Amino acid sequence: MKTFRIAVIPGDGIGKEVVPEGIRVLEAAGRKFGLTFQWDLLPWSCEYFLAEGRMMPEDGLDRIRHHDAIFLGAVGFPGVPDHVSLWGLLIPIRRGFQQYANVRPVRLMPGVKCPLADRKPGDIDFVVVRENNEGEYSSIGGRLYEGTEFEMAVQQSVFTRHGVDRILKYAFDMAQRRPKQHLTSATKSNGIAITMPYWDERFKAMGAAYPEVRTDQYHIDILTAHFVRNPHWFDVVVGSNLFGDILSDLGPGCTGTIAIAPSANLNPEREFPSMFEPVHGSAPDIFGKGIANPVGQIWAGAMMLEHLGCPEAGQAVLAAIETVLASGPRTPDMGGTASTEDVGKAIAQGV
Ligand code: NAD
Ligand code: IPM
Ligand code: MN
């Protein structure tokens, strides 16, 4: 019997509603596959901020450094400015634990109504690999000449060779392992004339080591149009922090609902714990109604099982998700009337 120590951070809003369903399903998978979990529940959130003046304790990262993984709901809620909450909790975990590879699968699942015309399951099945530690998300910069007519805000993007090469290598390795062996790079080297030409240059250099991987690149503007018009073109799509963020909401938007999309924040070297969460946020507009779709959280749990070395358990959870999406209870975002708990229980039963 394997036991895993998991740091659980439900966080804010519907994070608090979908995380328990994730745990319910992982427990069911554990019973079936002989795994046990020690769930260490951490209250770090905007509520915690309002009481303590910070999003997590000062030694927060040290408290979870030796866990096997982190299972997170969502961070951010009205009452605390988003940049304060996110830079106080989510982003420090991603960076502090060198979770530089953000893996976000995009798949049209059987039974989910596709907003794009004439698309069926199998047509859309790709992975967004997002750089998760640097790029456009930087704290370098500031406001100048405040209160004058010359007032300005300046923020630097940071693209280091180390940071760019390691995410490109991760994406090429992934593309090489997949049947289609195709990698697309999101760029904008026509307009962003320093960092993006650098990104393209490193992409080309890295590609030389992967002759079997077919590559292409698109500027981010037309790439978003291709996501909508030609989603079947894509296999693995690699992008900077901001481009990857946008593409990983757009992709799931094209496959029906962002609420089912999972996200793995990986430290591939396994020097630090990796973190698993849904792509979506805390959805304050539906929080408290018990109608949040828990599938993104549960699918993130399936990715966590894979990462923990239990691929069969992960696949069983994904199969149970597929069955429920095809013919089980549905939350209102998918046109149904079921509750968060109904969906979680149905998936747990199907594992
Ligand atoms: P959001 O993803 O929270 O919500 C966008 C829309 O999708 C809303 O209408 C919401 O009701 C709906 N939605 C999202 N998840 C759903 C689910 N599981 N079931 C049903 N409907 C769902 O994005 P937002 O409104 O831009 O952000 C709200 C807050 O969440 C902000 O504070 C934002 O910064 C934060 N956020 C956090 C994360 C994270 O922790 N990783 C990710 C995105 C946004
Ligand atoms: C995500 C979110 C975060 C991001 C925000 C909340 C900082 O949108 O996980 O996709 O941009 O990384
Ligand atoms: Mn996002």
Side-chain angles (χ1 to χ4, degrees):
M1 178 86 78
K2 271 193 190 165
T3 299
F4 296 109
R5 263 183 90 203
I6 310 295
V8 181
I9 308 175
D12 296 303
I14 61 163
K16 297 188 211 295
E17 299 173 357
V18 293
V19 162
E21 300 311 317
I23 290 178
R24 185 198 302 281
V25 173
L26 289 166
E27 283 284 332
R31 282 192 293 278
K32 180 149 180 205
F33 291 90
L35 317 168
T36 53
F37 299 95
Q38 179 189 319
W39 305 106
D40 289 340
L41 194 64
L42 300 156
W44 307 342
S45 60
C46 288
E47 244 174 79
Y48 185 92
F49 180 93
L50 294 173
E52 305 288 336
R54 46 191 315 138
M55 290 297 293
M56 64 172 156
E58 206 168 347
D59 64 348
L61 292 190
D62 289 331
R63 295 193 194 187
I64 58 178
R65 187 177 298 278
H66 299 294
H67 282 71
D68 293 304
I70 304 160
F71 196 49
L72 181 131
V75 180
F77 210 72
V80 181
D82 277 345
H83 63 279
V84 172
S85 54
L86 274 310
W87 278 84
L89 181 53
L90 184 73
I91 294 175
I93 296 175
R94 288 177 179 170
R95 290 179 184 223
F97 293 151
Q98 295 290 299
Q99 296 166 348
Y100 62 85
N102 187 196
V103 175
R104 297 182 154 186
V106 177
R107 198 173 305 160
L108 179 56
M109 302 288 258
V112 180
K113 192 175 174 317
C114 184
L116 310 180
D118 305 325
R119 299 288 177 192
K120 49 182 194 321
D123 291 351
I124 311 179
D125 186 3
F126 60 88
V127 183
V128 174
V129 174
R130 168 191 184 191
E131 199 294 315
N132 213 27
N133 279 182
E134 55 172 44
E136 305 85 350
Y137 287 47
S138 95
S139 44
I140 303 174
R143 295 196 189 192
L144 295 169
Y145 314 122
E146 276 191 76
T148 76
E149 61 179 307
F150 305 109
E151 187 167 278
M152 62 169 91
V154 179
Q155 186 156 359
Q156 301 275 356
S157 288
V158 177
F159 287 76
T160 64
R161 176 137 174 184
H162 174 68
V164 173
D165 278 7
R166 67 182 181 177
I167 192 63
L168 292 176
K169 180 172 187 308
Y170 186 89
F172 270 104
D173 283 340
M174 179 187 283
Q176 193 173 40
R177 286 194 306 270
R178 289 167 62 96
K180 290 187 185 161
Q181 297 195 306
H182 176 203
L183 179 63
T184 301
S185 168
T187 184
K188 189 60 193 172
S189 44
N190 52 357
I192 303 177
I194 298 173
T195 54
M196 282 294 128
Y198 182 68
W199 172 274
D200 293 355
E201 205 179 294
R202 299 313 307 156
F203 181 66
K204 192 158 176 236
M206 188 64 68
Y210 297 83
E212 53 295 298
V213 175
R214 182 165 65 87
T215 59
D216 46 23
Q217 64 185 48
Y218 296 95
H219 296 302
I220 186 70
D221 43 359
I222 189 62
L223 183 55
T224 60
H226 287 320
F227 263 41
V228 175
R229 297 188 61 86
N230 303 299
H232 55 292
W233 284 1
F234 301 105
D235 182 21
V236 180
V237 182
V238 66
S240 64
N241 209 333
L242 178 62
F243 292 171
D245 179 46
I246 295 167
L247 294 175
S248 58
D249 264 23
L250 179 60
C254 293
T255 58
T257 167
I258 62 153
I260 69 169
S263 169
N265 302 266
L266 302 176
N267 172 243
E269 290 72 27
R270 293 174 183 262
E271 206 182 329
F272 303 107
S274 291
M275 175 163 67
F276 300 82
E277 56 170 336
V279 164
H280 67 74
S282 61
D285 54 335
I286 57 164
F287 171 55
K289 299 183 179 159
I291 55 165
N293 189 337
V295 170
Q297 187 76 49
I298 295 168
W299 191 344
M303 293 181 85
M304 185 167 84
L305 289 172
E306 294 247 352
H307 176 78
L308 292 171
C310 312
E312 286 144 29
Q315 276 146 27
V317 170
L318 196 53
I321 289 174
E322 283 184 355
T323 305
V324 169
L325 286 177
S327 57
R330 290 158 183 257
T331 43
D333 59 301
M334 292 186 57
T337 55
S339 69
T340 308
E341 200 178 298
D342 295 336
V343 175
K345 283 185 173 163
I347 295 173
Q349 267 163 23
V351 173

